Amino acid sequence: FCGAFVALLASQQAHTTIAFSPAAIEKVRQWTLSSPVIDAAFDVLCEGGVILSPTNVGYSLITLDGKEGAAKFDHVKGREKKPYGVLGTETTFSRVFSGLKAPALRNDFCSDLCLSFVSSESVSHDAREQLKTSRAVGPSGEVAMWINIGPIFDTLVERVEEKYEGKRLVLITSGNISGRGNPASSTFSIDAVDDELLDRVDMTIDIPHLSDPELDDDGRWYSAPMFDMDSCTFRRVGKHMENANIFGRVGEELDAIEEEEEEESKQQALKHGQDLKLFYQYVKTS
């Protein structure tokens, strides 16, 4: 645990990519509030099905927790015995991580920033026991949770929270066949997703995507950055690392941003400093 460290992390249309903007995310968010597609997806989820949907970092799979959910993921991805992640809201985050407050990644600076948070030390006993049956606990007792992954999944997990009153969790994993990695494509498109995986899911949601991909050295889509809450380090580089690093480096004082940073980036971070302070705080405990 990082004592006193302020981690300031900081109608369906297919096969179309749009550049990210806060207005684009809000448009999709409003669509999720009224679309019958979302109602149908929620029914599939509650019936134990697996859904593939666009997120802020490509396409991901979700299903409800439990042995059945893990088995469904195994079948879709063609793998066994590896742990899965948890999809969260601010409420889920606090429940799983012993009351810690989650980043509210909602302003213009970070609306498109999806982050994965992983911890062993902060996981509550009840959450760990619940997630063991879903194979969502890693070899060192760690749990990984994705937040701010996009309006579609955010809406679905909020509805799960409401329906099951916190007694069920939503599992999440990347939308690829195990061992094949993320798709290699210059655009986020359902066409880039493996046909074998598409044949195995219970429902696919495809709308104009929220953003453009960032690619790794092999030309594959970057996943979300993974932040280790126990060591206050990034376990994995991911999409929008520039923004993620700015949040992480603001630290205890806003002037911790080094002088050689580009002036525009520094000023943007400073401008949002007061908002960022509200996102996430690590408070030293003994």
Side-chain angles (χ1 to χ4, degrees):
F1 217 80
C2 312
F5 180 81
V6 183
L8 305 176
L9 301 173
S11 107
Q12 281 191 284
Q13 300 176 55
H15 314 154
T16 304
T17 300
I18 53 177
F20 159 74
S21 71
I25 281 191
E26 183 58 29
K27 183 176 180 179
V28 177
R29 195 183 309 281
Q30 291 301 317
W31 177 82
T32 65
L33 297 177
S34 59
S35 173
V37 175
I38 300 301
D39 293 335
F42 182 63
D43 290 341
V44 169
L45 193 60
C46 294
E47 292 167 1
V50 175
I51 297 169
L52 178 75
S53 175
T55 72
N56 289 344
V57 287
Y59 290 80
S60 294
L61 300 160
I62 60 169
T63 192
L64 284 186
D65 65 340
K67 291 181 180 179
E68 298 82 1
K72 281 265 192 176
F73 270 177
D74 289 345
H75 170 69
V76 171
K77 291 182 66 71
R79 78 180 196 186
E80 293 181 357
K81 298 183 179 179
K82 291 185 178 180
Y84 292 110
V86 180
L87 178 61
T89 62
E90 288 85 352
T91 300
T92 320
F93 191 100
S94 294
R95 189 169 70 252
V96 170
F97 293 126
S98 304
L100 291 178
K101 185 177 180 180
L105 303 175
R106 298 300 184 199
N107 70 17
D108 293 356
F109 187 57
C110 58
S111 293
D112 200 27
L113 177 60
C114 171
L115 287 168
S116 171
F117 291 86
V118 59
S119 175
S120 174
E121 297 175 7
S122 300
V123 181
S124 72
H125 173 76
D126 289 346
R128 199 190 310 271
E129 291 303 306
Q130 179 179 357
L131 289 169
K132 280 181 180 178
T133 63
S134 306
R135 210 181 331 118
V137 179
S140 300
E142 71 272 23
V143 170
M145 180 175 292
W146 277 252
I147 65 170
N148 203 46
I149 200 165
I152 297 171
F153 278 177
D154 285 351
T155 298
L156 289 172
V157 73
E158 286 166 2
R159 291 179 67 170
V160 168
E161 286 275 357
E162 181 180 3
K163 177 180 176 68
Y164 295 102
E165 298 179 339
K167 295 182 175 67
R168 300 297 302 270
L169 293 166
V170 178
L171 304 181
I172 185 167
T173 188
S174 54
N176 55 56
I177 297 292
S178 183
R180 299 183 189 175
N182 284 334
S185 173
S186 60
T187 60
F188 281 136
S189 169
I190 200 71
D191 293 335
V193 178
D194 197 298
D195 288 338
E196 188 177 351
L197 184 142
L198 292 173
D199 290 341
R200 294 175 181 176
V201 299
D202 298 293
M203 182 175 182
T204 299
I205 300 174
D206 190 28
I207 62 169
H209 208 281
L210 310 182
S211 60
D212 295 320
E214 292 179 15
L215 306 178
D216 64 16
D217 292 340
D218 297 318
R220 297 184 180 277
W221 300 342
Y222 263 130
S223 299
M226 180 176 287
F227 186 73
D228 189 319
M229 296 193 290
D230 299 337
S231 63
C232 287
T233 58
F234 282 99
R235 284 193 178 191
R236 183 176 71 194
V237 171
K239 187 182 179 189
H240 289 172
M241 274 307 299
E242 180 180 352
N243 281 5
N245 278 323
I246 287 175
F247 296 155
R249 292 174 58 189
V250 169
E252 296 176 1
E253 298 178 312
L254 291 177
D255 63 6
I257 301 175
E258 297 178 5
E259 293 298 325
E260 67 266 25
E261 290 290 347
E262 292 184 13
E263 188 65 20
E264 182 178 352
S265 296
K266 181 168 70 175
Q267 291 304 317
Q268 191 175 28
L270 294 174
K271 176 182 176 182
H272 290 283
Q274 295 306 312
D275 291 334
L276 295 174
K277 282 184 177 180
L278 302 177
F279 284 174
Y280 195 83
Q281 280 192 324
Y282 290 103
V283 180
K284 186 174 183 180
T285 59
S286 59

